[in-house]
Amino acid sequence: GPALLFVKTSQGKEEGRRFYACSACRDRKDCNFFQWEDEKVSETRLAAREEYNRNHQPSFTHRQNVDRYKNFVLLPLSKRRFCQECQQLLLPAEWEEHLDHQFLCDITITQLKSPSQLLYPLENKKTNAQYLFADRSCRFLLNLLVDLGFRRVLSVGTPRLHEMIQSRASQEEEFSVRSLLLDIDFRYSQFYTEDEFCHYNMFNHHFFGGEAARETCRKFLYEENGERVIMVTDPPFGGLVEALASSFKKLMAMWKETEKEGHDNKEMPMFWIFPYFFESRILDFFPSFSMMDYQVDYDNHALYKHGKTGRRQSPVRIFTNLPPNVIVLPEEEGYRFCTVCQRYVSSGNQHCEICNSCTSKDGRRWKHCVLCKKCVKPSWFHCTNCNCCTLQKHSCEKTDVGCFVCGKAGHKRSACPSLSRT
C-alpha cells in the first residue's frame, strides 16, 4: 500500500530532507523501498518497481483460498496436509511440489479453527512482531466485551481473539458475538471468508482488497438491531504511534458515517492494547482515553508474562475511551476497586492523597516526591543536579547536549517543535 513520509534530520539543523519509505517494514532488508520526496523517478525505475510488486504477490487470491479451504475440509483426515515451509494448506494434487518440505499431516477441524496455533508467528520486531494473546488474556477480553454488551468486534491485528469468537459462535447457539479480522498477515485468508477477514495494513489504513474489502468493513460497522460495535487492536509495539492513530481515526470516521444520527459527538468504543510507557503519546492523539491496570500477557513472548514481579511484569495495558468504572478487573488476580478513582487498579497501586490518584503504572507501589510534585518509581531518587527524580546510578544531564534535531536544551528529539506533527 501507500508509503509513509518521513524526515531525515541532522543535529542542529531545523529542516531535514523528507523521504518516502515502507509503512509496514522498518528494516530495509524486509523492504528496500526508499524515495526522496523531491526526487524524479524514471520510467525504467517505475517499471522495475511494478515488476517487483507483481513477483511478490501471494500465490492465490483470497477468493481462491476460500475455494481451496472448501475442498480441503471435504478431504478425509489422512489426506489433509499443511506445508510448514510454505505455510499453506495442500490439496493432494500439490503434494509433489512440496516433497522436500516439512509438513503436518491429519489436520483436524479443531486445528483449522485455530489457525494462529497452526501458523508460525511472524516475530520480526521491525516488521510484524506477531505476539499472540495468552489464553488467560484472550478469555478475559472476550468475557469483558460480552459483559459490556458488545455484539460485534472489529479485531485489528488480534487473530487469537478473532478465532476465539469464531470458535465460540460455532459451538454455542446462544453466543451472538461476531468478529471481523483486519490483519496484514495474508496467510489467514486460507481459513476465513471475505466476510470474516480483510487483508489490511494498520499503518496506512490500506485495504488490499480495494473497495470491496472497505465495503465489507463499513457494513460490519453498521449497528443494526442495537448490536454495539467495539474495535480491539494490538499493534506491533515498535510501530509509530502517529501512523497507527491516523488509521484508527479513519476507522472511527468510517463507523461514524454508518449512522447519521446518534454518532455525532461520540467515538467508536475502542481497546488499544499497548505498553504503558506509550501512555503520553496515545493521549496526545486520543485525549478521551485512559489506561487500565490489567496486565495483558502473550504466549510467545519471553518477558510479557502475567504473574512475574518487579520489572519482569508485562508492561502491556489496555487503553480505552470507555468509562474506567465499567472495566471490571478480576479480583482473584489481585485487582481491587478504588472508590476515589472509581476504577479497578492492581493491588500494589496505592492511592496517593497528594496526587489524589492511583499513580503506579507498572504494578509496583510508587512514592511521592515533594520536589517533583508527582509520584515516581520506588527505585528512583531526587537528583539536585538534574532537578528531577531518576535512578541513583545515572549520568547527570547538566551538560551542553540538547535536542538532536535543533540542538536546544529542555526537550528530546521526539518532542522537538521543529518537527512537523503531520
Side-chain angles (χ1 to χ4, degrees):
L4 291 182
L5 185 60
F6 296 89
V7 61
K8 194 181 280 286
T9 55
S10 302
Q11 190 167 5
K13 292 183 180 179
E14 289 196 11
E15 286 189 19
R17 193 176 179 191
R18 307 207 303 181
F19 65 94
Y20 290 99
C22 181
S23 60
C25 307
R26 292 180 300 130
D27 195 326
R28 293 278 161 76
K29 290 174 187 172
D30 295 310
C31 179
N32 61 6
F33 177 82
F34 181 94
Q35 184 183 309
W36 294 111
E37 185 191 22
D38 53 9
E39 173 185 20
K40 285 187 178 179
V41 184
S42 67
E43 290 295 324
T44 308
R45 194 167 152 201
L46 278 173
R49 188 179 293 163
E50 286 297 323
E51 181 64 22
Y52 178 88
N53 287 345
R54 270 195 300 273
N55 293 336
H56 287 75
Q57 293 299 311
S59 306
F60 301 100
T61 64
H62 194 165
R63 170 51 34 204
Q64 287 171 326
N65 273 335
V66 171
D67 292 337
R68 287 167 55 79
Y69 182 86
K70 288 175 184 173
N71 293 327
F72 189 86
V73 293
L74 293 174
L75 294 170
L77 191 65
S78 60
K79 292 196 174 182
R80 289 191 206 146
R81 292 186 181 181
F82 176 77
C83 179
Q84 289 181 297
E85 288 186 42
C86 301
Q87 294 285 281
Q88 186 179 308
L89 297 173
L90 298 180
L91 297 173
E94 299 158 352
W95 289 0
E96 204 170 322
E97 300 167 32
H98 301 261
L99 281 177
D100 55 344
H101 294 177
Q102 283 192 321
F103 48 81
L104 296 173
C105 299
D106 304 338
I107 303 298
T108 64
I109 295 296
T110 305
Q111 285 175 295
L112 293 172
K113 297 281 185 192
S114 304
S116 71
Q117 296 181 25
L118 193 61
L119 300 166
Y120 284 138
L122 306 172
E123 294 181 2
N124 183 334
K125 290 184 177 66
K126 291 186 176 181
T127 309
N128 304 95
Q130 202 175 52
Y131 297 117
L132 302 164
F133 292 143
D135 195 57
R136 160 194 165 267
S137 290
C138 209
R139 287 186 187 281
F140 164 75
L141 282 168
L142 183 49
N143 291 337
L144 178 61
L145 296 175
V146 172
D147 292 344
L148 290 170
F150 292 105
R151 291 298 172 262
R152 295 194 192 180
V153 182
L154 186 66
S155 304
V156 184
T158 57
R160 191 152 280 181
L161 177 64
H162 174 72
E163 70 185 38
M164 186 175 278
I165 292 170
Q166 297 283 95
S167 179
R168 286 269 303 268
S170 66
Q171 292 169 12
E172 304 169 25
E173 259 185 59
E174 68 280 4
F175 187 78
S176 57
V177 181
R178 288 197 290 143
S179 173
L180 173 65
L181 176 64
L182 306 187
D183 204 290
I184 200 166
D185 189 350
F186 190 67
R187 296 178 301 170
Y188 284 106
S189 69
Q190 297 178 85
F191 305 92
Y192 300 122
T193 65
E194 289 101 323
D195 291 333
E196 298 167 332
F197 167 75
C198 292
H199 192 201
Y200 175 78
N201 182 352
M202 70 174 80
F203 289 104
N204 58 8
H205 187 58
H206 180 66
F207 286 88
F208 292 87
E211 192 51 43
R214 191 181 292 272
E215 189 56 31
T216 297
C217 184
R218 197 179 286 114
K219 278 183 182 174
F220 184 84
L221 294 175
Y222 181 71
E223 297 183 354
E224 57 184 346
N225 304 323
E227 291 186 338
R228 295 172 65 209
V229 174
I230 186 168
M231 181 170 106
V232 182
T233 183
D234 181 36
F237 302 148
L240 287 168
V241 174
E242 293 94 326
L244 292 167
S246 174
S247 293
F248 298 158
K249 284 182 177 180
K250 285 171 183 172
L251 287 170
M252 285 177 158
M254 194 185 282
W255 170 81
K256 231 174 203 181
E257 289 166 9
T258 61
E259 183 81 315
K260 290 181 181 177
E261 297 174 15
H263 287 176
D264 292 345
N265 300 313
K266 291 181 184 176
E267 283 182 332
M268 175 167 66
M270 180 174 162
F271 283 171
W272 181 342
I273 294 158
F274 227 49
Y276 69 79
F277 36 81
F278 283 101
E279 182 182 21
S280 61
R281 302 292 294 125
I282 291 175
L283 297 186
D284 278 348
F285 296 99
F286 294 104
S288 62
F289 278 36
S290 51
M291 186 180 81
M292 302 296 99
D293 273 23
Y294 183 80
Q295 291 183 19
V296 180
D297 58 336
Y298 296 81
D299 263 353
N300 57 326
H301 197 292
L303 299 178
Y304 295 175
K305 300 283 187 186
H306 171 70
K308 294 191 175 182
T309 56
R311 294 189 65 190
R312 291 188 174 273
Q313 300 173 87
S314 170
V316 187
R317 303 289 183 267
I318 300 169
F319 294 86
T320 182
N321 50 4
L322 295 174
N325 63 326
V326 304
I327 312 293
V328 179
L329 304 186
E331 292 183 8
E332 65 274 13
E333 290 185 17
Y335 298 100
R336 60 178 181 82
F337 189 75
C338 175
T339 52
V340 185
C341 295
Q342 282 293 294
R343 70 182 182 98
Y344 278 83
V345 295
S346 63
S347 54
N349 192 356
Q350 297 299 308
H351 192 87
C352 174
E353 299 295 337
I354 304 168
C355 296
N356 194 28
S357 173
C358 291
T359 51
S360 172
K361 307 291 183 189
D362 60 8
R364 296 178 293 171
R365 184 172 183 170
W366 285 22
K367 60 184 182 183
H368 191 85
C369 174
V370 179
L371 297 172
C372 289
K373 297 181 182 177
K374 64 177 183 180
C375 284
V376 297
K377 293 180 180 180
S379 55
W380 286 14
F381 295 88
H382 195 86
C383 173
T384 50
N385 288 335
C386 300
N387 196 29
C388 67
C389 283
T390 184
L391 288 167
Q392 201 161 19
K393 293 179 180 178
H394 72 281
S395 301
C396 285
E397 296 294 332
K398 284 278 183 180
T399 63
D400 295 330
V401 178
C403 169
F404 179 75
V405 179
C406 65
K408 295 174 185 175
H411 64 266
K412 293 182 180 178
R413 179 193 186 286
S414 58
C416 182
S418 302
L419 288 177
S420 168
R421 259 295 165 83
T422 57

